[in-house]
Amino acid sequence: MSESAPVPIVGGTGALGFGLALRLAREGVPIAIGSRSAERAQEAAGRVRERVPDADVEGLENADAARRGPIVLLTVPFRAQSENLTNLKGALEPGQILVDATVPLAAAVSGRATRLLGVPQGSAAQQAQEMVPEGVVVVSALHTVSAAALGDLDHDLDEDVLVAGDKGDAKRAVAELIARITGLRPVNAGRLEAARLIEGITPLLIGVNSRYKTAAGVKLTALPDELW
């Protein structure tokens, strides 16, 4: 991945997307915050600059943001995933990587956030892979990092991020981006079909964090120093 390439964040005005924008911007990564409203995206970009004064960040409508860089982060709620991917069909191009952080929580249909919905394709990430234009590679990641923890720049992160996908080079590129955020260690979790298992960790963590009033993540033990 080019060091100077902007990272588009579709849904970057939401808690997860905004937290990732803050953390990446602080590490010197150029960011293109996307939203259905360019005005809202520009407002979010302004808030990033307030907290990270030297941030290279712009706010754009989602489709315009998605054209800005080779690795696009999709950080929208499950209920908005299909609509957003439909709207991005004319913007995403072969060779781009879409990082899907969507979790099919039952909250999308007024259920509990501690329950997972069934997805016919097997997972939200596999649904995304069916919906993106041919030649766009979907990588599943960033499901277990607390949006609140990301958004608190005084909070030191120390956790693992499970990364799943069918293309090794795409996973490696996403891992390199995730590793730019201090305190996050990307772990190769296998093929895209593993996304069903990874997405299921999120409602489990929501329940744990609710009970213990914290923002716990995932940390795997006994892994070698060299993961990629």
Side-chain angles (χ1 to χ4, degrees), residues 5-204:
V7 175
I9 305 179
V10 174
T13 57
L16 177 61
F18 185 75
L20 288 167
L22 282 174
R23 293 281 178 164
L24 289 167
R26 190 169 69 169
E27 301 299 334
V29 178
I31 301 296
I33 290 179
S35 173
R36 285 180 295 181
S37 159
E39 185 177 355
R40 286 188 62 213
Q42 290 160 9
E43 186 271 334
R47 287 191 287 123
V48 170
R49 282 189 290 269
E50 287 175 3
R51 298 178 61 185
V52 184
D54 58 348
D56 181 354
V57 57
E58 58 182 337
L60 301 159
E61 190 272 331
N62 278 326
D64 291 333
R67 296 184 178 97
R68 285 291 200 265
I71 300 179
V72 181
L73 307 186
L74 181 66
T75 61
V76 300
F78 181 65
R79 64 179 179 273
Q81 186 205 40
S82 179
E83 177 188 354
N84 274 273
L85 289 175
T86 298
N87 292 339
L88 290 175
K89 283 185 176 178
L92 296 173
E93 298 181 350
Q96 280 187 299
I97 299 167
L98 181 79
V99 181
D100 184 72
T102 310
V103 180
L105 298 174
V109 291
S110 301
R112 294 183 180 179
T114 51
R115 293 177 179 170
L116 201 67
L117 294 174
V119 181
Q121 293 85 347
S123 66
Q126 288 167 296
Q127 175 171 280
Q129 185 65 78
E130 280 195 2
M131 294 191 67
V132 295
E134 186 174 355
V136 175
V137 177
V138 171
V139 172
S140 175
L142 296 166
H143 302 86
T144 59
V145 185
S146 162
L150 285 169
D152 179 2
L153 292 179
D154 293 326
H155 176 85
D156 292 332
L157 300 172
D158 181 24
E159 57 191 275
D160 293 335
V161 176
L162 301 173
V163 181
D166 292 337
K167 302 290 186 182
D169 55 347
K171 281 195 294 186
R172 185 170 285 103
V174 172
E176 289 174 357
L177 176 63
I178 291 170
R180 296 283 296 272
I181 299 177
T182 301
L184 295 186
R185 181 178 67 164
V187 175
N188 188 345
R191 296 184 64 82
L192 194 64
E193 64 186 12
R196 176 177 62 87
L197 304 174
I198 299 168
E199 291 167 13
I201 298 173
T202 299
L204 176 67

Side-chain angles (χ1 to χ4, degrees), residues 160 185-188 219-228:
D160 293 335
R185 181 178 67 164
V187 175
N188 188 345
K219 188 77 171 176
L220 303 182
T221 63
L223 289 177
D225 292 336
E226 184 61 51
L227 296 180
W228 297 91

Side-chain angles (χ1 to χ4, degrees), residues 105 113-114 201-211:
L105 298 174
T114 51
I201 298 173
T202 299
L204 176 67
L205 282 175
I206 289 172
V208 168
N209 287 328
S210 176
R211 282 187 290 276

